[in-house]
Amino acid sequence: MNKHPLVAVSLGIALLPAFACADPAPVTAMTPDIVEKYDAVLPDADYVRRDVMVPMRDGTKLYTVIVMKKGVAKAPILLWRSPYDAHGDVARGRSLRLVDLVPAVDAPFVEDGYIRVYQDIRGIHRSEGQFVMNRPLAGPLNPTGIDESTDAYDTIDWLVKNVPESNGNVGILGSSYLGFTTLMAEINPHPALKAAVAESPMVDGWMGDDWFHNGAFRVSGLDYALEMSTGKADAGAVMPHGNGDDYANYLAAGSAGAYARKYGVDQVPFVRKLIENPAYSEFWSGQAVDKLMAARKLTVPTMLELGEWDQEDNYGAPAVYAALKDQPGRAQLTLVIGPWRHSGANHYGYDLGALTFAGDTAAQWRRDWMKPFFDHYLKGAPDPHAPAAITYASGIDRWEQSPRWPMGSATPLYLGPDQSAGFAAPAKSGAVSWTSDPANPVPFVPRPVHLGDRAQWTTWLVHDQRFVTGRPDVVTFSGKPLDRPLHLMGAPMVDMYMATTGTDADVVVKLIDVHPDDAPEDGPGARGPMAGYELPIGIEIFRGRYLKSFAHPEPLKPGMFNRFRFALPSIDHVVLPGHHIAVQVQSSLFPLYDRNPQSFVPNIFLAKPGDYHAATMRIGYGGATPSAVILPVAP
């Protein structure tokens, strides 16, 4: 009797050679040379693979790959639910060894007898149904009753009933979009779900993940929307915008909406959702996962992980942690911050751009914390007693454990006269001004810009900021060299007073660790590549029209100082003696974010060329306009 009635393709222990049949017909010169399939799981393979279609409560079947080492019994299941092709997740090489085929993050698990499960979420790649980007939880935005929470529940229910090698315990993990599906599985979770690790999760696409940051739109979201929207028919289509400088491409197109029209993606459903929802309406707030989780008691032990220099989703994990950390009676909750890019925890963690660390930091956290966490909850291994926060102190290269997060106390770093920065409030007041021209926006990396270049994209948050030195539209406030270490543990807060001659404005703030010019390498006195390096330890943007209300934008009053208050990314960083802190302020970060016309229009996606105007910006300091960056200084 077949114990797996829903198995679409059985790739378990092969009983016959790959092309075996009872009586092979003689071949001739005209025998067709196409075979129906080739089963790569040969009898000598050390693993079992099953490709199955798992039914959901509405009858939709989701493509799922189950792999495990041969001989596994009473084993835990580790699941991830992905929009990025489950079939490809177990096709990373040509080998008869499972450890060679799975992602690096999975190798220790499959070698230790875990059952690894990869699934295409509904409507994409080999799964049935309709794909909806970040499908909202069933409720006001989703009347179907079907969401990523119910699909996770139904998948887990099927797995524990139909995988005989299982011990009935399931863990879930994943990064980015998979971090989103991990968190959604914890809303109304299946009883068999015992532990979760959400890495760089997409949590709130308007506040600070993927699509917008504090109202400013990330234009590369158009490319991603097209790619995801063609996950079946056209297998990840791309816009034909050429291989030239993306700075020039986006500038020539005009607004983000004009760019979408130029390349024919303005009618892609999710692109329309972006264009039609530029403010923080119920469309966005109703999908915010931190809000959804805060409304329910956390019952699944959870680790929330992100990279200190996560260039895509640095908002989500700290937001969920903040929403849940004080919840009475909740399950274990740990925040992890490593010295990584987006999803860097699952890859090699020796370096990032020009930075090098003390060994493979990603492998260290997976070995010392993530796997023991799953082993404890899924296999009954000793409790690793994970603290509230596990963070890597960049600057001194060591892992730290903390009983709470943030650990730092709010300490203002004031902006002052002569573009100074210091811990004492300025004795006099004044302002620094510059002209921001949308026709010549500040690039976020040195030109030429190639948003599709992985090396450029994954390292932009650690790029030496000296490339904008000398631009008249970038203002730098510099502190004095430190005489002792300054340890920052938390999210620095911008508290800045700015005025504009326009009726809208963006504020971009960069917190920078400036290395001394005599930074040594390979011996005393050597001037290495880090000499004078201006290392960003936090970059963020805020769109002025949302100062009073994220949901209801208003024009700014020309000439009047407005108080901008917003958070920079969460960090654990030590600024060493001899280094100094700098704060850079500008009004564009292009083409990472769309240009602000600097004159108020109802919808910036639809701004016309005549709406874009140069404006004079002023930052106040001292007196009634005590601009500062509030640093989380740890003891």
Side-chain angles (χ1 to χ4, degrees):
M1 177 178 171
N2 185 359
K3 294 183 179 180
H4 306 284
L6 298 172
V7 173
V9 182
S10 178
L11 296 175
I13 301 174
L15 302 179
L16 297 171
F19 298 122
C21 56
D23 294 304
V27 298
T28 69
M30 289 305 296
T31 298
D33 288 324
I34 298 296
V35 296
E36 182 177 348
K37 68 169 185 172
Y38 171 72
D39 189 345
V41 188
L42 300 175
D44 289 341
D46 72 353
Y47 66 97
V48 174
R49 170 172 172 155
R50 303 181 188 123
D51 289 34
V52 302
M53 296 298 289
V54 176
M56 301 295 102
R57 62 191 64 185
D58 64 342
T60 299
K61 296 183 176 66
L62 305 187
Y63 175 75
T64 307
V65 182
I66 304 167
V67 294
M68 69 195 84
K69 295 287 287 289
K70 286 179 179 176
V72 161
K74 296 182 179 180
I77 293 172
L78 198 55
L79 167 69
W80 78 20
R81 307 190 59 251
S82 170
Y84 299 128
D85 185 16
H87 179 77
D89 285 330
V90 202
R92 296 174 182 267
R94 299 172 182 151
S95 180
L96 299 179
R97 301 193 316 158
L98 181 57
V99 70
D100 298 328
L101 302 179
V102 297
V105 64
D106 292 335
F109 290 102
V110 296
E111 287 291 271
D112 193 30
Y114 276 71
I115 300 166
R116 195 65 174 90
V117 179
Y118 310 87
Q119 184 179 75
D120 287 334
I121 60 175
R122 68 170 54 219
I124 202 163
H125 298 293
R126 302 185 183 202
S127 282
E128 298 174 355
Q130 295 181 331
F131 173 70
V132 176
M133 188 86 73
N134 298 113
R135 178 180 286 265
L137 190 72
L141 296 175
N142 176 6
T144 67
I146 302 298
D147 53 38
E148 299 299 353
S149 176
T150 64
D151 282 354
Y153 188 105
D154 295 347
T155 297
I156 293 170
D157 193 65
W158 188 92
L159 290 170
V160 296
K161 293 175 180 176
N162 290 276
V163 180
E165 298 89 348
S166 165
N167 67 2
N169 294 331
V170 179
I172 189 167
L173 82 160
S175 182
S176 193
Y177 202 114
L178 286 73
F180 161 73
T181 58
T182 294
L183 294 177
M184 292 295 284
E186 298 186 66
I187 297 175
N188 308 317
H190 192 282
L193 182 60
K194 304 298 185 182
V197 175
E199 304 167 302
S200 302
M202 301 168 72
V203 167
D204 190 321
W206 195 93
M207 284 297 203
D209 290 326
D210 287 290
W211 313 113
F212 296 82
H213 277 224
N214 296 311
F217 177 62
R218 287 195 157 197
V219 293
S220 59
L222 297 173
D223 297 80
Y224 181 74
L226 176 63
E227 180 183 357
M228 296 296 289
S229 299
T230 53
K232 270 189 175 291
D234 205 13
V238 296
M239 284 188 277
H241 49 60
N243 297 318
D245 184 357
D246 283 329
Y247 181 102
N249 291 338
Y250 282 104
L251 192 61
S255 68
Y259 185 87
R261 291 191 297 274
K262 178 177 179 179
Y263 292 105
V265 300
D266 55 314
Q267 294 306 308
V268 169
F270 189 72
V271 173
R272 288 184 58 194
K273 294 175 186 179
L274 293 171
I275 293 173
E276 295 171 11
N277 293 277
Y280 197 59
S281 63
E282 175 65 19
F283 176 85
W284 296 110
S285 61
Q287 297 185 54
V289 181
D290 55 330
K291 295 179 176 65
L292 297 174
M293 296 190 74
R296 298 160 176 82
K297 185 176 179 179
L298 179 70
T299 59
V300 180
T302 300
M303 281 187 168
L304 301 162
E305 175 275 320
L306 75 152
E308 184 166 318
W309 290 283
D310 188 316
Q311 79 281 6
E312 295 177 26
D313 295 306
N314 59 28
Y315 175 88
V320 173
Y321 180 82
L324 298 177
K325 67 176 182 176
D326 297 324
Q327 189 182 73
R330 61 160 170 75
Q332 179 185 325
L333 180 68
T334 298
L335 179 68
V336 179
I337 304 176
W340 309 310
R341 61 170 175 86
H342 182 67
S343 298
N346 292 334
H347 302 281
Y348 291 111
Y350 294 103
D351 55 26
L352 181 63
L355 306 183
T356 56
F357 310 118
D360 186 346
T361 56
Q364 291 163 9
W365 109 265
R366 297 195 305 259
R367 177 196 66 209
D368 296 340
W369 291 108
M370 187 175 76
K371 188 169 185 299
F373 172 78
F374 278 125
D375 286 348
H376 171 63
Y377 288 105
L378 304 185
K379 299 177 71 174
D383 189 346
H385 298 291
I390 302 168
T391 58
Y392 188 86
S394 53
I396 57 174
D397 291 316
R398 74 179 184 210
W399 284 102
E400 300 184 318
Q401 302 177 43
S402 303
R404 64 185 183 278
W405 190 263
M407 282 291 289
S409 299
T411 305
L413 177 72
Y414 293 100
L415 310 187
D418 302 319
Q419 294 179 211
S420 62
F423 294 104
K428 61 180 181 178
S429 62
V432 177
S433 64
W434 72 95
T435 297
S436 173
D437 187 353
N440 184 27
V442 182
F444 81 102
V445 290
R447 297 181 62 183
V449 177
H450 299 292
L451 291 171
D453 181 345
R454 290 291 297 168
Q456 188 181 73
W457 175 242
T458 57
T459 62
W460 78 264
L461 274 174
V462 297
H463 200 288
D464 189 342
Q465 294 302 299
R466 285 177 291 186
F467 79 95
V468 295
T469 298
R471 280 191 66 115
D473 51 359
V474 177
V475 177
T476 302
F477 296 84
S478 296
K480 295 179 180 180
L482 300 177
D483 57 8
R484 62 177 182 267
L486 182 68
H487 197 166
L488 308 178
M489 299 183 73
M493 291 292 300
V494 173
D495 188 3
M496 193 162 294
Y497 293 81
M498 197 184 87
T500 174
T501 57
T503 51
D504 199 358
D506 289 347
V507 177
V508 177
V509 176
K510 305 173 185 176
L511 184 65
I512 299 171
D513 177 352
V514 181
H515 290 57
D517 286 333
D518 59 353
E521 182 185 89
D522 298 331
R527 294 172 63 86
M530 298 302 291
Y533 200 95
E534 295 185 0
L535 172 67
I537 50 177
I539 300 177
E540 194 53 276
I541 189 171
F542 193 102
R543 184 143 283 175
R545 61 177 45 219
Y546 300 111
L547 268 177
K548 293 184 178 179
S549 170
F550 290 133
H552 304 289
E554 295 181 18
L556 302 177
K557 291 184 179 180
M560 187 180 84
F561 277 107
N562 292 281
R563 190 180 187 184
F564 287 78
R565 302 184 76 243
F566 57 95
L568 298 178
S570 296
I571 59 174
D572 182 350
H573 182 78
V574 178
V575 185
L576 297 173
H579 295 221
H580 69 269
I581 296 177
V583 176
Q584 277 186 356
V585 186
Q586 56 202 56
S587 295
S588 53
L589 200 61
F590 189 75
L592 178 65
Y593 296 101
D594 64 337
R595 296 175 301 147
N596 192 318
Q598 302 184 157
S599 62
F600 185 87
V601 294
N603 186 336
I604 291 180
F605 281 104
L606 307 179
K608 302 295 190 293
D611 296 325
Y612 291 83
H613 299 287
T616 299
M617 310 293 177
R618 288 190 299 149
I619 294 177
Y621 58 80
T625 56
S627 295
V629 175
I630 314 301
L631 302 179
V633 178

